[in-house]
Amino acid sequence: MRRVKFTAIVGMAIMMSVPAISLADNGKNVEVVNEGIRFCESTYPYDGGILIANFGTEQLNPLNTDGKGYILYYKDGKVSTLVAADGNLNAPKGMFMRNNHLYICDVNKIVVYDLNQKGKAPKTIHLPEGNLFVNDLAADGNNLYASVTNTDKIFKIDITDSANPGEAQEWATVPGPNGLLIGDGMMYVASYPADGNTGEKHVIYRINDLDNPQPEKVVTVPGQYDGIAFSSDGKSLYVTNWTPAGLSRVDLQTGSLSPLNISLDKELSGPADITVSGGKIYIPDLPASCVVIVTE
């Protein structure tokens, strides 16, 4: 979700898979946060900590319209509420921050809060009818991109004025776009089957030229991919997958896709929109209502 500088090998199709790598040392490098969390789909770096987007509903429904969504702030072991359940959020997912304006994907729209004026009603960016699974956000300069999983679309929004964003314009077609990531003017897209049926098209894509979007497969192993982030050193990608549920690392130099073993009392069930910050990976487990924090 962040724009990070790195150097990647362009044009390489990543097909290899290697044995799992242990990311934790007998659980010593793993933390689990569940205080105040209710169906968390996304995390985002903020003010030395992370934001956690929650549905807040009784049942897990990513398309609900109950208005119980809220955003938590986690830092140094403490959880607080940044955006309370005010009726404006239903199933908040991917987030993006610009000039203290928090953009949040929410079912069929993007909700924009001015954190300088928390009592002010948020703005809403509406998407065309039928776009019901607005999932993630990533920006390059003054262009903000939003993925919509159920329509295979990525939209572009002008955010030159953060307080007054432009309308969503259709930009590219990618199978089941879920997690978005931009670095050095290139976009990576994690593909997820909206109907739950994984196909050969549900892989990791890259768009090399944002002015002429032509998606190409970069990881060709099919999956139900959700979150995507750069490693701290910029040499790898981390991706989450729902089937099998887990976290993998893509080495951008060797082209290997490696599952990562995480020592947990209860295995991940639905790892979603991850964040890498301060040498840690923050993994929201949506069905389990917790965030797993792993040291890189």
Short mmCIF file of all heavy atoms in Angstrom, two decimals, residues 9-65:
data_model
loop_
_atom_site.label_atom_id
_atom_site.label_comp_id
_atom_site.label_asym_id
_atom_site.label_seq_id
_atom_site.Cartn_x
_atom_site.Cartn_y
_atom_site.Cartn_z
N ILE A 9 13.67 -6.87 -10.88
CA ILE A 9 13.99 -7.40 -12.20
C ILE A 9 12.73 -7.37 -13.04
O ILE A 9 11.76 -8.05 -12.72
CB ILE A 9 14.54 -8.83 -12.10
CG1 ILE A 9 15.85 -8.84 -11.30
CG2 ILE A 9 14.76 -9.43 -13.47
CD1 ILE A 9 16.41 -10.21 -11.06
N VAL A 10 12.72 -6.60 -14.10
CA VAL A 10 11.55 -6.46 -14.95
C VAL A 10 11.50 -7.60 -15.94
O VAL A 10 12.50 -7.98 -16.54
CB VAL A 10 11.58 -5.11 -15.68
CG1 VAL A 10 10.38 -4.98 -16.60
CG2 VAL A 10 11.62 -3.98 -14.68
N GLY A 11 10.28 -8.15 -16.12
CA GLY A 11 10.07 -9.16 -17.15
C GLY A 11 10.29 -10.58 -16.68
O GLY A 11 10.21 -11.51 -17.48
N MET A 12 10.57 -10.81 -15.40
CA MET A 12 10.83 -12.15 -14.91
C MET A 12 9.55 -12.78 -14.40
O MET A 12 8.88 -12.22 -13.54
CB MET A 12 11.86 -12.08 -13.77
CG MET A 12 12.13 -13.42 -13.10
SD MET A 12 13.34 -13.24 -11.79
CE MET A 12 12.49 -12.13 -10.68
N ALA A 13 9.18 -13.94 -14.90
CA ALA A 13 8.02 -14.66 -14.40
C ALA A 13 8.46 -15.55 -13.26
O ALA A 13 9.36 -16.37 -13.41
CB ALA A 13 7.40 -15.50 -15.51
N ILE A 14 7.86 -15.37 -12.09
CA ILE A 14 8.27 -16.12 -10.90
C ILE A 14 7.45 -17.39 -10.83
O ILE A 14 6.26 -17.36 -10.58
CB ILE A 14 8.09 -15.26 -9.64
CG1 ILE A 14 8.99 -14.02 -9.75
CG2 ILE A 14 8.39 -16.04 -8.39
CD1 ILE A 14 8.84 -13.07 -8.62
N MET A 15 8.09 -18.52 -11.03
CA MET A 15 7.39 -19.78 -11.08
C MET A 15 7.91 -20.76 -10.03
O MET A 15 7.25 -21.75 -9.72
CB MET A 15 7.53 -20.41 -12.47
CG MET A 15 7.01 -19.53 -13.59
SD MET A 15 7.27 -20.22 -15.22
CE MET A 15 6.27 -21.69 -15.14
N MET A 16 9.11 -20.52 -9.52
CA MET A 16 9.72 -21.47 -8.61
C MET A 16 9.04 -21.46 -7.24
O MET A 16 8.50 -20.47 -6.81
CB MET A 16 11.20 -21.12 -8.41
CG MET A 16 12.06 -21.24 -9.64
SD MET A 16 13.73 -20.70 -9.30
CE MET A 16 14.17 -21.77 -7.93
N SER A 17 9.09 -22.57 -6.57
CA SER A 17 8.63 -22.68 -5.20
C SER A 17 9.68 -23.47 -4.43
O SER A 17 10.17 -24.47 -4.92
CB SER A 17 7.27 -23.38 -5.11
OG SER A 17 6.83 -23.41 -3.78
N VAL A 18 10.08 -22.98 -3.25
CA VAL A 18 11.12 -23.64 -2.48
C VAL A 18 10.58 -23.99 -1.11
O VAL A 18 9.50 -23.55 -0.70
CB VAL A 18 12.35 -22.71 -2.34
CG1 VAL A 18 12.89 -22.35 -3.71
CG2 VAL A 18 12.01 -21.45 -1.57
N PRO A 19 11.30 -24.83 -0.35
CA PRO A 19 10.81 -25.23 0.97
C PRO A 19 10.54 -24.04 1.87
O PRO A 19 11.11 -22.96 1.72
CB PRO A 19 11.96 -26.10 1.49
CG PRO A 19 12.64 -26.63 0.27
CD PRO A 19 12.54 -25.51 -0.74
N ALA A 20 9.68 -24.28 2.84
CA ALA A 20 9.28 -23.22 3.77
C ALA A 20 10.46 -22.72 4.58
O ALA A 20 11.37 -23.47 4.92
CB ALA A 20 8.19 -23.74 4.70
N ILE A 21 10.44 -21.45 4.90
CA ILE A 21 11.46 -20.81 5.71
C ILE A 21 10.84 -20.44 7.05
O ILE A 21 9.74 -19.90 7.11
CB ILE A 21 11.99 -19.54 5.01
CG1 ILE A 21 12.67 -19.92 3.69
CG2 ILE A 21 12.95 -18.78 5.90
CD1 ILE A 21 13.08 -18.72 2.86
N SER A 22 11.55 -20.71 8.14
CA SER A 22 11.04 -20.36 9.46
C SER A 22 11.27 -18.89 9.73
O SER A 22 12.39 -18.40 9.65
CB SER A 22 11.72 -21.20 10.55
OG SER A 22 11.24 -20.84 11.82
N LEU A 23 10.20 -18.17 10.02
CA LEU A 23 10.29 -16.74 10.25
C LEU A 23 10.39 -16.42 11.74
O LEU A 23 10.80 -15.35 12.13
CB LEU A 23 9.07 -16.04 9.66
CG LEU A 23 9.16 -14.56 9.35
CD1 LEU A 23 10.24 -14.32 8.31
CD2 LEU A 23 7.84 -14.04 8.82
N ALA A 24 9.97 -17.35 12.57
CA ALA A 24 9.98 -17.14 14.01
C ALA A 24 10.93 -18.11 14.69
O ALA A 24 11.24 -19.17 14.16
CB ALA A 24 8.57 -17.32 14.58
N ASP A 25 11.39 -17.76 15.86
CA ASP A 25 12.28 -18.60 16.64
C ASP A 25 11.52 -19.10 17.86
O ASP A 25 11.52 -18.45 18.90
CB ASP A 25 13.52 -17.80 17.05
CG ASP A 25 14.50 -18.63 17.87
OD1 ASP A 25 14.37 -19.87 17.87
OD2 ASP A 25 15.37 -18.04 18.52
N ASN A 26 10.86 -20.27 17.69
CA ASN A 26 10.07 -20.83 18.79
C ASN A 26 9.04 -19.86 19.35
O ASN A 26 8.75 -19.84 20.54
CB ASN A 26 10.98 -21.32 19.91
CG ASN A 26 11.90 -22.44 19.45
OD1 ASN A 26 11.48 -23.29 18.67
ND2 ASN A 26 13.13 -22.44 19.89
N GLY A 27 8.52 -19.00 18.49
CA GLY A 27 7.47 -18.08 18.91
C GLY A 27 7.97 -16.81 19.57
O GLY A 27 7.20 -15.93 19.90
N LYS A 28 9.30 -16.70 19.78
CA LYS A 28 9.82 -15.53 20.48
C LYS A 28 9.63 -14.25 19.69
O LYS A 28 9.57 -13.17 20.26
CB LYS A 28 11.31 -15.75 20.79
CG LYS A 28 11.58 -16.89 21.76
CD LYS A 28 13.07 -17.05 22.00
CE LYS A 28 13.35 -18.22 22.95
NZ LYS A 28 14.79 -18.41 23.16
N ASN A 29 9.59 -14.37 18.38
CA ASN A 29 9.48 -13.18 17.53
C ASN A 29 8.07 -12.97 17.01
O ASN A 29 7.87 -12.29 16.02
CB ASN A 29 10.46 -13.30 16.35
CG ASN A 29 11.90 -13.32 16.81
OD1 ASN A 29 12.24 -12.69 17.80
ND2 ASN A 29 12.72 -14.07 16.11
N VAL A 30 7.10 -13.57 17.67
CA VAL A 30 5.71 -13.46 17.24
C VAL A 30 4.85 -12.89 18.37
O VAL A 30 4.96 -13.31 19.51
CB VAL A 30 5.15 -14.83 16.80
CG1 VAL A 30 3.68 -14.70 16.41
CG2 VAL A 30 5.94 -15.39 15.64
N GLU A 31 4.02 -11.89 18.02
CA GLU A 31 3.04 -11.34 18.95
C GLU A 31 1.65 -11.46 18.32
O GLU A 31 1.52 -11.44 17.10
CB GLU A 31 3.31 -9.87 19.26
CG GLU A 31 4.70 -9.56 19.78
CD GLU A 31 4.93 -8.06 19.82
OE1 GLU A 31 4.16 -7.35 20.51
OE2 GLU A 31 5.86 -7.59 19.14
N VAL A 32 0.63 -11.56 19.15
CA VAL A 32 -0.74 -11.57 18.67
C VAL A 32 -1.53 -10.50 19.40
O VAL A 32 -1.54 -10.46 20.63
CB VAL A 32 -1.40 -12.95 18.88
CG1 VAL A 32 -2.86 -12.91 18.40
CG2 VAL A 32 -0.64 -14.03 18.12
N VAL A 33 -2.17 -9.61 18.65
CA VAL A 33 -2.97 -8.53 19.22
C VAL A 33 -4.43 -8.79 18.89
O VAL A 33 -4.78 -9.01 17.72
CB VAL A 33 -2.55 -7.16 18.64
CG1 VAL A 33 -3.42 -6.04 19.22
CG2 VAL A 33 -1.09 -6.89 18.91
N ASN A 34 -5.28 -8.80 19.90
CA ASN A 34 -6.71 -8.98 19.65
C ASN A 34 -7.59 -8.01 20.42
O ASN A 34 -8.81 -8.00 20.25
CB ASN A 34 -7.14 -10.42 19.96
CG ASN A 34 -6.73 -10.87 21.35
OD1 ASN A 34 -6.59 -10.06 22.27
ND2 ASN A 34 -6.51 -12.17 21.52
N GLU A 35 -6.99 -7.16 21.24
CA GLU A 35 -7.77 -6.20 22.04
C GLU A 35 -8.58 -5.25 21.15
O GLU A 35 -8.03 -4.56 20.29
CB GLU A 35 -6.85 -5.38 22.94
CG GLU A 35 -7.57 -4.35 23.79
CD GLU A 35 -6.61 -3.45 24.57
OE1 GLU A 35 -5.42 -3.79 24.65
OE2 GLU A 35 -7.07 -2.42 25.08
N GLY A 36 -9.88 -5.23 21.32
CA GLY A 36 -10.74 -4.30 20.59
C GLY A 36 -10.97 -4.65 19.14
O GLY A 36 -11.64 -3.89 18.43
N ILE A 37 -10.42 -5.76 18.69
CA ILE A 37 -10.49 -6.11 17.26
C ILE A 37 -11.72 -6.98 16.98
O ILE A 37 -12.00 -7.93 17.71
CB ILE A 37 -9.21 -6.84 16.83
CG1 ILE A 37 -8.01 -5.88 16.90
CG2 ILE A 37 -9.35 -7.41 15.42
CD1 ILE A 37 -6.68 -6.53 16.58
N ARG A 38 -12.42 -6.65 15.89
CA ARG A 38 -13.57 -7.44 15.46
C ARG A 38 -13.58 -7.51 13.94
O ARG A 38 -13.95 -6.55 13.26
CB ARG A 38 -14.89 -6.83 15.97
CG ARG A 38 -16.13 -7.66 15.63
CD ARG A 38 -16.09 -9.03 16.31
NE ARG A 38 -17.31 -9.78 16.05
CZ ARG A 38 -17.48 -11.04 16.43
NH1 ARG A 38 -16.52 -11.67 17.09
NH2 ARG A 38 -18.61 -11.66 16.15
N PHE A 39 -13.10 -8.62 13.41
CA PHE A 39 -12.99 -8.85 11.97
C PHE A 39 -12.15 -7.76 11.29
O PHE A 39 -12.65 -6.86 10.62
CB PHE A 39 -14.37 -8.95 11.31
CG PHE A 39 -15.20 -10.10 11.82
CD1 PHE A 39 -16.54 -9.92 12.13
CD2 PHE A 39 -14.64 -11.35 11.99
CE1 PHE A 39 -17.31 -10.98 12.61
CE2 PHE A 39 -15.40 -12.42 12.46
CZ PHE A 39 -16.74 -12.23 12.78
N CYS A 40 -10.84 -7.87 11.47
CA CYS A 40 -9.89 -6.89 10.93
C CYS A 40 -9.39 -7.34 9.56
O CYS A 40 -8.85 -8.43 9.42
CB CYS A 40 -8.72 -6.69 11.89
SG CYS A 40 -7.92 -8.24 12.40
N GLU A 41 -9.57 -6.51 8.54
CA GLU A 41 -9.19 -6.87 7.18
C GLU A 41 -7.89 -6.22 6.74
O GLU A 41 -7.19 -6.75 5.88
CB GLU A 41 -10.32 -6.47 6.21
CG GLU A 41 -10.28 -7.20 4.87
CD GLU A 41 -9.27 -6.66 3.88
OE1 GLU A 41 -8.84 -5.50 4.03
OE2 GLU A 41 -8.91 -7.41 2.95
N SER A 42 -7.54 -5.08 7.33
CA SER A 42 -6.42 -4.33 6.80
C SER A 42 -5.61 -3.66 7.91
O SER A 42 -6.14 -3.30 8.96
CB SER A 42 -6.93 -3.25 5.83
OG SER A 42 -5.88 -2.48 5.30
N THR A 43 -4.30 -3.50 7.62
CA THR A 43 -3.42 -2.72 8.48
C THR A 43 -2.72 -1.67 7.63
O THR A 43 -2.59 -1.82 6.41
CB THR A 43 -2.37 -3.61 9.16
OG1 THR A 43 -1.63 -4.33 8.15
CG2 THR A 43 -3.02 -4.59 10.12
N TYR A 44 -2.24 -0.60 8.29
CA TYR A 44 -1.58 0.49 7.56
C TYR A 44 -0.65 1.23 8.51
O TYR A 44 -1.04 1.51 9.65
CB TYR A 44 -2.63 1.45 6.97
CG TYR A 44 -2.05 2.49 6.05
CD1 TYR A 44 -1.78 2.18 4.72
CD2 TYR A 44 -1.77 3.77 6.51
CE1 TYR A 44 -1.25 3.13 3.87
CE2 TYR A 44 -1.24 4.72 5.65
CZ TYR A 44 -0.98 4.40 4.33
OH TYR A 44 -0.44 5.34 3.49
N PRO A 45 0.58 1.58 8.08
CA PRO A 45 1.52 2.28 8.97
C PRO A 45 1.05 3.69 9.28
O PRO A 45 0.60 4.42 8.39
CB PRO A 45 2.82 2.29 8.18
CG PRO A 45 2.40 2.18 6.74
CD PRO A 45 1.17 1.32 6.74
N TYR A 46 1.17 4.08 10.57
CA TYR A 46 0.71 5.41 10.97
C TYR A 46 1.39 5.83 12.26
O TYR A 46 1.30 5.14 13.27
CB TYR A 46 -0.81 5.40 11.16
CG TYR A 46 -1.40 6.70 11.70
CD1 TYR A 46 -1.46 7.84 10.90
CD2 TYR A 46 -1.88 6.78 13.00
CE1 TYR A 46 -1.99 9.02 11.38
CE2 TYR A 46 -2.42 7.96 13.49
CZ TYR A 46 -2.47 9.08 12.68
OH TYR A 46 -3.00 10.26 13.16
N ASP A 47 2.10 6.95 12.23
CA ASP A 47 2.65 7.60 13.42
C ASP A 47 3.40 6.63 14.32
O ASP A 47 3.18 6.58 15.53
CB ASP A 47 1.51 8.28 14.19
CG ASP A 47 2.04 9.25 15.25
OD1 ASP A 47 3.18 9.73 15.10
OD2 ASP A 47 1.31 9.52 16.21
N GLY A 48 4.30 5.85 13.74
CA GLY A 48 5.12 4.93 14.51
C GLY A 48 4.43 3.66 14.92
O GLY A 48 5.02 2.80 15.60
N GLY A 49 3.18 3.50 14.53
CA GLY A 49 2.43 2.28 14.83
C GLY A 49 1.67 1.84 13.59
O GLY A 49 2.13 2.07 12.47
N ILE A 50 0.52 1.23 13.78
CA ILE A 50 -0.30 0.80 12.63
C ILE A 50 -1.77 1.10 12.90
O ILE A 50 -2.20 1.18 14.05
CB ILE A 50 -0.14 -0.69 12.32
CG1 ILE A 50 -0.59 -1.55 13.51
CG2 ILE A 50 1.26 -1.03 11.87
CD1 ILE A 50 -0.89 -2.98 13.14
N LEU A 51 -2.50 1.27 11.81
CA LEU A 51 -3.95 1.35 11.86
C LEU A 51 -4.51 -0.04 11.56
O LEU A 51 -3.94 -0.79 10.77
CB LEU A 51 -4.48 2.36 10.85
CG LEU A 51 -3.99 3.80 11.01
CD1 LEU A 51 -4.63 4.69 9.95
CD2 LEU A 51 -4.26 4.33 12.40
N ILE A 52 -5.65 -0.35 12.17
CA ILE A 52 -6.30 -1.64 11.97
C ILE A 52 -7.76 -1.38 11.63
O ILE A 52 -8.50 -0.77 12.41
CB ILE A 52 -6.23 -2.50 13.24
CG1 ILE A 52 -4.77 -2.68 13.69
CG2 ILE A 52 -6.88 -3.86 13.00
CD1 ILE A 52 -4.64 -3.31 15.08
N ALA A 53 -8.19 -1.82 10.44
CA ALA A 53 -9.56 -1.61 9.98
C ALA A 53 -10.43 -2.79 10.42
O ALA A 53 -10.10 -3.94 10.15
CB ALA A 53 -9.61 -1.46 8.47
N ASN A 54 -11.55 -2.50 11.08
CA ASN A 54 -12.43 -3.52 11.63
C ASN A 54 -13.85 -3.39 11.09
O ASN A 54 -14.37 -2.29 10.95
CB ASN A 54 -12.50 -3.38 13.16
CG ASN A 54 -11.16 -3.61 13.83
OD1 ASN A 54 -10.84 -4.71 14.24
ND2 ASN A 54 -10.36 -2.55 13.94
N PHE A 55 -14.50 -4.55 10.86
CA PHE A 55 -15.91 -4.55 10.46
C PHE A 55 -16.83 -4.26 11.64
O PHE A 55 -17.86 -3.60 11.48
CB PHE A 55 -16.30 -5.89 9.85
CG PHE A 55 -15.59 -6.24 8.57
CD1 PHE A 55 -15.85 -7.45 7.94
CD2 PHE A 55 -14.68 -5.38 7.97
CE1 PHE A 55 -15.21 -7.80 6.76
CE2 PHE A 55 -14.03 -5.71 6.79
CZ PHE A 55 -14.29 -6.93 6.18
N GLY A 56 -16.51 -4.83 12.79
CA GLY A 56 -17.31 -4.58 13.99
C GLY A 56 -18.65 -5.28 14.02
O GLY A 56 -19.48 -5.00 14.89
N THR A 57 -18.88 -6.19 13.10
CA THR A 57 -20.19 -6.85 12.99
C THR A 57 -20.25 -8.14 13.80
O THR A 57 -19.23 -8.68 14.23
CB THR A 57 -20.47 -7.17 11.51
OG1 THR A 57 -19.33 -7.84 10.95
CG2 THR A 57 -20.72 -5.89 10.73
N GLU A 58 -21.47 -8.65 13.97
CA GLU A 58 -21.64 -9.92 14.68
C GLU A 58 -21.18 -11.09 13.81
O GLU A 58 -20.58 -12.05 14.31
CB GLU A 58 -23.12 -10.11 15.06
CG GLU A 58 -23.63 -9.12 16.09
CD GLU A 58 -22.88 -9.23 17.40
OE1 GLU A 58 -22.59 -10.37 17.83
OE2 GLU A 58 -22.56 -8.18 18.00
N GLN A 59 -21.44 -11.02 12.51
CA GLN A 59 -21.04 -12.07 11.58
C GLN A 59 -20.05 -11.50 10.57
O GLN A 59 -20.07 -10.31 10.25
CB GLN A 59 -22.27 -12.63 10.84
CG GLN A 59 -23.37 -13.16 11.74
CD GLN A 59 -22.93 -14.36 12.55
OE1 GLN A 59 -22.15 -15.19 12.07
NE2 GLN A 59 -23.42 -14.48 13.78
N LEU A 60 -19.18 -12.37 10.07
CA LEU A 60 -18.20 -11.94 9.08
C LEU A 60 -18.88 -11.80 7.72
O LEU A 60 -19.29 -12.79 7.10
CB LEU A 60 -17.06 -12.96 9.00
CG LEU A 60 -16.00 -12.73 7.91
CD1 LEU A 60 -15.43 -11.33 8.01
CD2 LEU A 60 -14.92 -13.78 8.01
N ASN A 61 -19.00 -10.55 7.26
CA ASN A 61 -19.60 -10.27 5.97
C ASN A 61 -18.90 -9.07 5.35
O ASN A 61 -19.12 -7.92 5.76
CB ASN A 61 -21.10 -9.97 6.13
CG ASN A 61 -21.77 -9.64 4.80
OD1 ASN A 61 -21.14 -9.69 3.74
ND2 ASN A 61 -23.05 -9.30 4.85
N PRO A 62 -18.02 -9.30 4.36
CA PRO A 62 -17.25 -8.20 3.76
C PRO A 62 -18.08 -7.23 2.94
O PRO A 62 -17.58 -6.20 2.50
CB PRO A 62 -16.24 -8.94 2.88
CG PRO A 62 -16.88 -10.23 2.56
CD PRO A 62 -17.68 -10.60 3.77
N LEU A 63 -19.38 -7.55 2.74
CA LEU A 63 -20.26 -6.67 1.97
C LEU A 63 -21.41 -6.15 2.82
O LEU A 63 -22.43 -5.71 2.30
CB LEU A 63 -20.81 -7.41 0.75
CG LEU A 63 -19.79 -7.96 -0.24
CD1 LEU A 63 -20.48 -8.68 -1.39
CD2 LEU A 63 -18.89 -6.86 -0.77
N ASN A 64 -21.24 -6.17 4.13
CA ASN A 64 -22.33 -5.74 5.01
C ASN A 64 -22.59 -4.23 4.90
O ASN A 64 -21.72 -3.48 4.44
CB ASN A 64 -22.02 -6.12 6.47
CG ASN A 64 -21.11 -5.12 7.15
OD1 ASN A 64 -21.55 -4.07 7.62
ND2 ASN A 64 -19.83 -5.46 7.23
N THR A 65 -23.76 -3.81 5.33
CA THR A 65 -24.12 -2.38 5.33
C THR A 65 -24.59 -1.96 6.72
O THR A 65 -25.46 -1.11 6.86
CB THR A 65 -25.23 -2.10 4.30
OG1 THR A 65 -26.36 -2.94 4.58
CG2 THR A 65 -24.74 -2.37 2.88
#
